[in-house]
């Protein structure tokens, strides 16, 4: 059928298909969004029809299965599962576990995404692949996230991805992908479409009335003649045509005209979106539906049954399911539960069983609770939350119902579903919870507020829960104090209410918790640092960190305790523990789908990798934190991630934007750490740019409050020493250096003592200064803190130049310049360049000319290729396909003027610096 008024949309889809067919590197992803019946499905069919020479994969979101993890993804990948053996083992195992083909621990979401990308790319090796997903607003969360992951990595593959989304309903996971709004037809196109499907001639006034009332919605115009007789059309002035909001009713009329058994068969197909013909037949047999029942539905243009069962329009499916009576739905779900193999697909069988249950039923509720355990092992916390939520609804005993609602709320919180979690928590508190459960509910409410709103808002809730739990559950009380300490450290000083010292004293007064001992070591160590000072508390914290780093840590303990451990590793100068534990925390959060933890874990790792000089890695982590913030509705941690990273680049505009984004965040108003962190960011930026008066003003404000434990206060003090010495304030610099040395001596690590030596050197003279500079370089050179090490070289070189030792200065400045160049620290690079020129050194152009500069990803791929990694190994490490790796490498070869991987190390490291 000709698509009236859709010339532009069809041409765009044709272009996408042509891009895929020819393998040109261009956008091959498109989201079609618009109201129900506006023509999105017709456009998908157009894309399917124009995909000559391509393989087409179809999937559709289905409302009853939105909570079943991976259900939408399984539809898309099902025809290709015979190719799983071609994937690398970790990817294959991740996908097999996700689809329930084998047992295993919850697969890493990013590994699943890479496995899907690899699987589709493998299919596209033989022939171009077009993936069409209808009703994407009803995809389960994990499938939507995975498809967004794949979509953002379609660069070199012959793969096209088109998703249709009903408005309102654009998934947050899909935000940022190319979109096309499918609008209503013009009156002229609407008239032409109506004329094309209306038998006989219509009175002009009748036609105009239909066009006006259907408001340019094509499906309303197409469906209207199906349900009205010629007489009704002739007297249309008194009738009410289906508008965009009532289009499903026209499908209902078509369904209602079908024989009873045909309607039952349609309902079975609507309730089970996998499209398994065998499953449909088994369920139909259970319901005593005759084999001939499908024919009238196919004749009516509602459904086709071939190798798979498929509705011709998703509105047909949704209308069939929504208008069925509750009793009919339950009967169909019961038949589907009986027809589903409990061994190969136990979660889907339980889900059908739950939908077949009208009222409270402990047997089904218990089965849902067991399925939650299996689902968490396979799909993570999001799937477990869905089963627990339904289990709570079906639990007849009020006390047990409250406990299950509480468990569901916790799982929803861990999955990042904060609003739903709060609703479940409210439902739980309406049940007769015991005293301990009520205290646990209070703790959970505080944790949700911490993750979704702000640390300061969560702090009183966490402290109240801790006090309630002390006599009931000392272990859980310690966990509450842990979260309260983390909240107050995150918030910094507050205008009123409890401060860090208050929380620390309450923590020390609480009874000890159960094993492992490292948890109490960490908690007490943090509290002693806050109340007695670094010298007293840091040794205990370092012992705890060593125990976390060297010992086995369960998933639950890791997700709960590593956030505080990582924060303290940063604060007590233990870079090795900070690196190892933050990476482990990110892995755990990804693996379990714990979106409540992942953004803050990414923030810790971003700051760590920035100090290590790995800006490309930090940049990708910031992007990930931003994407997760969009999904969960919690953006302030992603904004913080940009804040701790952008200053090191030396780009004033980007840094100011990050500062403004954090200071504008309403939920952070009143938290002192916001001021400290933003002032630190300004100080780093302006020290790098050599604008020392501005750096001093920012650093002075950032170091005003030593009661804010570690982090930005310490880092601001470091910037203060440098800015003060360069702006003619030696006394203030000496004071700050002495304070830093006191803190560093308590830590005793090479990072701490090297930093202390560097700042003391800046306030010293003669041989003493030189000895301290050399100590700083020696100690920092043994660490991974490359940016601090490069700054120590820069400061030493600048001192040598002022001492008129130009040859020695050139050596130190040259090393610093090379390091800053390679990292992409543009401000410090230019500062080193100016100093080198002041020594008489002619500084060559270190950055590639425009058009030959490598992007961050190209540089990263080039380095890995130069280290001997294969395309498959590089793709697995960077979460892209081998084809994309090869595509990037071809661009690298052209830009660098080389022809083989063997030339990469020399060309990349000596001639060109990868810039972001």
């Amino acid at each position: 059928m000709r698509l009236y008024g859709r010339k532009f949309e069809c041409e765009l889809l044709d272009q996408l298909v042509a891009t895929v067919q020819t393998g040109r590197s261009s956008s091959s992803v498109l989201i079609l969004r618009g109201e129900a019946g506006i023509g999105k499905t017709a456009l998908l069919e157009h894309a399917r029809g124009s995909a000559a020479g391509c393989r087409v994969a179809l999937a559709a979101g289905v409302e009853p299965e939105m909570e079943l993890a991976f259900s939408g993804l399984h539809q898309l990948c099902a025809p290709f599962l015979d190719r799983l053996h071609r994937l690398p083992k970790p990817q294959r195992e991740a996908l097999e576990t996700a689809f329930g083909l084998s047992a295993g621990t919850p697969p890493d979401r990013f590994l699943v995404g890479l496995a899907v990308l690899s699987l589709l790319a493998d299919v596209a090796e033989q022939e171009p692949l077009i993936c069409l997903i209808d009703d994407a607003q009803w995809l389960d969360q994990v499938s939507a996230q995975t498809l967004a992951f794949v979509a953002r990595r379609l660069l070199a593959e012959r793969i096209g991805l088109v998703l249709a989304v009903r408005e309102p309903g654009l998934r947050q996971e899909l935000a940022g992908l190319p979109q096309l709004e499918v609008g209503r037809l013009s009156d002229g196109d609407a008239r032409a479409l109506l004329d094309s499907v209306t038998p006989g001639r219509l009175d002009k006034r009748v036609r105009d009335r239909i066009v006006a009332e259907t408001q340019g919605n094509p499906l309303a115009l197409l469906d209207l003649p199906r349900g009205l007789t010629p007489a009704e059309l002739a007297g249309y002035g008194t009738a009410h045509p289906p508008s965009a909001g009532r289009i499903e009713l026209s499908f209902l009329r078509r369904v209602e005209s079908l024989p009873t058994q045909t309607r039952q068969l349609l309902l079975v197909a609507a309730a089970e979106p996998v499209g398994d013909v065998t499953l449909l037949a088994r369920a139909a047999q259970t319901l005593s539906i005759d084999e001939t029942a499908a024919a009238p539905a196919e004749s009516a243009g509602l459904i086709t049954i071939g190798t798979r069962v498929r509705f011709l329009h998703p509105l047909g499916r949704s209308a069939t399911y929504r208008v069925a009576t509750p009793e009919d739905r339950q009967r169909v779900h019961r038949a589907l539960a009986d027809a589903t193999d409990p061994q190969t697909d136990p979660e889907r069988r339980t889900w059908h069983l739950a939908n077949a249950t009208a009222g409270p039923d402990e047997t089904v509720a218990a089965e849902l609770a067991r399925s939650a355990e299996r689902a968490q092992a396979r799909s993570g916390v999001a799937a477990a939350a869905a089963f627990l939520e339904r289990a709570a609804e079906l639990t007849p005993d009020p006390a047990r119902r409250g406990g299950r609602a509480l468990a569901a709320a916790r799982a929803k919180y861990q999955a990042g579903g904060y609003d739903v979690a709060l609703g479940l928590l409210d439902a739980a508190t309406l049940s007769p919870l015991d005293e301990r459960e009520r205290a646990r509910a209070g703790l959970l409410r505080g944790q949700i507020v911490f993750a979704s709103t702000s640390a300061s808002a969560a702090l009183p809730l966490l402290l109240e829960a801790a006090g309630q739990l002390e006599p009931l559950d000392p272990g859980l009380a310690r966990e509450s104090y842990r979260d309260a300490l983390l909240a107050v450290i995150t918030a910094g000083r507050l205008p009123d209410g409890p401060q860090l010292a208050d929380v620390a004293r309450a923590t020390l007064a609480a009874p000890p918790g159960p094993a492992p001992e490292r948890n109490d070591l960490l908690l007490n160590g943090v509290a002693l640092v806050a109340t007695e000072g670094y010298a007293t508390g840091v040794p205990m914290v370092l012992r705890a960190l060593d125990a976390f780093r060297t010992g086995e840590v369960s998933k639950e303990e890791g997700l709960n305790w590593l956030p505080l451990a990582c924060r303290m590793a940063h604060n007590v100068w233990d870079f090795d523990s900070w690196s190892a534990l933050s990476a482990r925390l990110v892995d755990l959060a990804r693996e379990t789908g714990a979106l409540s933890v992942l953004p803050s874990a990414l923030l810790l790792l971003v700051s760590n990798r920035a100090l290590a000089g790995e800006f490309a890695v930090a940049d990708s982590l910031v992007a990930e934190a931003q994407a997760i913030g969009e999904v969960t509705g919690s953006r302030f941690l992603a904004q913080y991630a940009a804040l701790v990273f952008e200053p090191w680049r030396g780009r004033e505009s980007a840094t100011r934007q990050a500062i403004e984004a954090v200071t504008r965040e309403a939920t952070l108003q009143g938290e002192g750490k916001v001021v400290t962190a933003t002032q630190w960011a300004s100080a780093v930026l302006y020290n790098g740019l050599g604008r020392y008066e501005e750096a001093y003003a920012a650093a002075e404000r950032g170091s005003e409050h030593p009661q804010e434990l570690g982090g930005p206060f310490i880092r601001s003090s470091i910037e203060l020493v440098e800015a003060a010495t360069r702006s003619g304030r030696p006394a203030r610099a000496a004071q700050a250096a002495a304070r830093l040395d006191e803190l560093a001596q308590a830590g005793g690590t090479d990072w701490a003592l090297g930093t202390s030596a560097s700042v003391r050197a800046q306030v010293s003279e003669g041989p003493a200064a030189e000895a301290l500079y050399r100590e700083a370089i020696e100690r920092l050179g043994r660490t991974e803190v490359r940016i601090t090490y490069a700054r120590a070289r820069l400061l030493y070189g600048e001192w040598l130049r002022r001492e008129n030792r130009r040859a020695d200065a050139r050596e130190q400045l040259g090393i610093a310049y090379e390091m800053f160049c390679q990292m992409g620290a543009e401000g410090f690079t230019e500062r080193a360049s100016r100093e080198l020129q002041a020594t008489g050194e002619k500084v060559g152009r270190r950055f590639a000319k425009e058009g030959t500069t490598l992007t961050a990803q190209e540089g990263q791929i080039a380095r890995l290729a130069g280290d001997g990694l294969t395309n498959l190994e590089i793709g697995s490490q960077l979460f892209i396909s081998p084809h994309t790796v090869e595509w990037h490498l071809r661009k690298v070869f052209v830009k660098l003027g080389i022809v083989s991987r063997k030339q990469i190390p020399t060309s990349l490291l000596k001639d060109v610096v990868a810039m972001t």
Side-chain angles (χ1 to χ4, degrees), residues 433-500:
L433 302 177
D434 60 32
E435 195 174 357
R436 181 177 180 276
E437 286 177 324
R438 285 198 298 273
R440 285 182 60 204
L443 170 59
L444 180 56
R445 190 176 298 277
Q447 291 170 329
I448 295 170
V449 171
F450 190 177
S452 64
T453 306
S454 70
S456 56
L459 182 58
L461 298 173
L462 295 168
L463 283 175
E464 181 182 0
Q468 293 172 345
L469 284 164
E470 274 194 38
L472 304 170
D473 189 331
L476 205 54
R478 298 290 279 178
E479 292 184 19
S480 303
Y481 281 120
R482 172 203 65 209
D483 291 345
L485 273 176
L486 185 58
V488 75
I489 291 171
T490 301
R493 68 192 183 282
L494 296 169
D496 50 41
Q499 305 293 322
L500 174 59

Side-chain angles (χ1 to χ4, degrees), residues 37-82:
I38 204 65
K40 303 182 298 296
T41 300
L43 288 169
L44 291 181
E45 285 298 321
H46 174 84
R48 184 183 185 191
S50 64
C54 299
R55 186 163 184 176
V56 178
L58 304 173
V62 180
E63 195 171 12
E65 299 218 342
M66 286 185 69
E67 300 293 346
L68 281 183
F70 298 109
S71 61
L73 206 61
H74 187 265
Q75 285 187 63
L76 185 68
C77 296
F80 314 132
L81 295 183
D82 59 338

Side-chain angles (χ1 to χ4, degrees), residues 34 121 161 244 336 341 395 453 479 511 519 560 654 724 743 780 852:
L161 180 61
L336 285 166
D341 190 332
T395 301
T453 306
E479 292 184 19
N519 295 344
N560 290 329
L743 301 177
L780 293 170
T852 63

Side-chain angles (χ1 to χ4, degrees), residues 199-539:
R201 296 184 61 181
L202 278 175
D203 181 273
K204 180 180 181 299
R205 291 169 298 177
V206 172
R207 185 183 64 182
D208 289 346
R209 178 67 181 273
I210 295 174
V211 168
E213 294 193 12
T214 53
Q215 299 178 350
N217 187 287
L219 192 58
L221 288 159
L222 285 171
D223 250 33
L224 180 63
R226 296 176 185 265
L228 299 178
T229 66
E232 288 174 317
L233 284 173
Y236 193 74
T238 59
H240 299 280
S243 65
R246 304 204 307 271
I247 295 174
E248 283 184 315
L249 293 178
S250 65
F251 279 96
L252 172 61
R253 296 167 76 170
R254 289 159 67 182
V255 172
E256 287 177 335
S257 68
L258 298 172
T260 301
Q261 288 207 338
T262 301
R263 294 200 304 269
Q264 290 179 338
L265 185 68
L266 277 177
L267 184 56
V268 175
E272 177 49 68
V274 173
D276 186 334
V277 176
T278 304
L279 182 63
L280 178 71
R282 286 202 301 266
Q285 186 176 15
T286 300
L287 294 168
S288 301
I289 297 174
D290 192 84
E291 294 180 357
T292 62
E298 291 183 291
S299 298
L302 290 166
I303 199 170
T304 62
I305 300 178
T307 56
R308 296 180 66 187
V309 183
R310 189 169 74 89
F311 276 84
L312 293 178
H313 197 284
L315 286 176
R317 179 194 295 276
S318 60
T320 299
Y321 190 83
R322 287 188 178 188
V323 301
T325 66
E327 294 77 16
D328 284 341
R329 291 186 193 175
Q330 291 157 16
R331 187 163 52 252
V332 161
H333 280 293
R334 172 69 66 177
L336 285 166
D338 293 340
T340 302
D341 190 332
Q343 301 301 318
T344 60
D345 206 351
E347 285 91 57
R348 190 179 294 275
R349 177 186 175 277
T350 303
W351 194 252
H352 282 307
L353 197 61
N355 285 326
T357 305
D361 187 317
E362 177 56 30
T363 301
V364 178
E367 182 59 36
L368 283 163
R370 288 190 291 271
S371 288
E373 297 177 6
R374 293 194 299 266
Q376 183 156 357
R378 181 174 71 87
S379 312
V381 291
F387 283 99
L388 287 169
E389 182 178 4
R390 184 63 174 146
E393 293 171 357
L394 296 180
T395 301
D397 178 61
R400 184 174 290 177
R401 181 167 62 247
R404 284 173 176 162
L406 196 57
R410 179 167 180 77
K412 281 288 185 182
Y413 149 68
Q414 291 175 330
Y418 303 130
D419 290 340
V420 177
L422 287 172
L424 286 165
L425 201 54
D426 290 338
T429 56
L430 295 176
S431 300
L433 302 177
D434 60 32
E435 195 174 357
R436 181 177 180 276
E437 286 177 324
R438 285 198 298 273
R440 285 182 60 204
L443 170 59
L444 180 56
R445 190 176 298 277
Q447 291 170 329
I448 295 170
V449 171
F450 190 177
S452 64
T453 306
S454 70
S456 56
L459 182 58
L461 298 173
L462 295 168
L463 283 175
E464 181 182 0
Q468 293 172 345
L469 284 164
E470 274 194 38
L472 304 170
D473 189 331
L476 205 54
R478 298 290 279 178
E479 292 184 19
S480 303
Y481 281 120
R482 172 203 65 209
D483 291 345
L485 273 176
L486 185 58
V488 75
I489 291 171
T490 301
R493 68 192 183 282
L494 296 169
D496 50 41
Q499 305 293 322
L500 174 59
D502 302 317
V503 181
R505 283 190 289 269
T507 301
L508 290 170
E517 181 185 1
R518 62 192 172 204
N519 295 344
D520 271 344
L521 266 177
L522 177 64
L523 210 54
N524 291 334
V526 174
L528 286 171
V529 168
T531 56
E532 304 295 331
Y534 266 62
T536 303
V538 167

Side-chain angles (χ1 to χ4, degrees), residues 1-10 37-39 42-43 46 182-198 216-219 221-222:
M1 179 184 291
R2 175 187 171 189
L3 298 183
Y4 289 87
R6 297 292 183 232
K7 181 180 179 182
F8 173 76
E9 291 87 345
C10 290
I38 204 65
L43 288 169
H46 174 84
V182 183
R184 297 178 177 183
L185 298 180
S186 67
D187 285 354
D189 287 323
R191 291 189 187 96
L193 177 60
L194 181 60
D195 288 343
S196 71
V197 296
T198 304
N217 187 287
L219 192 58
L221 288 159
L222 285 171

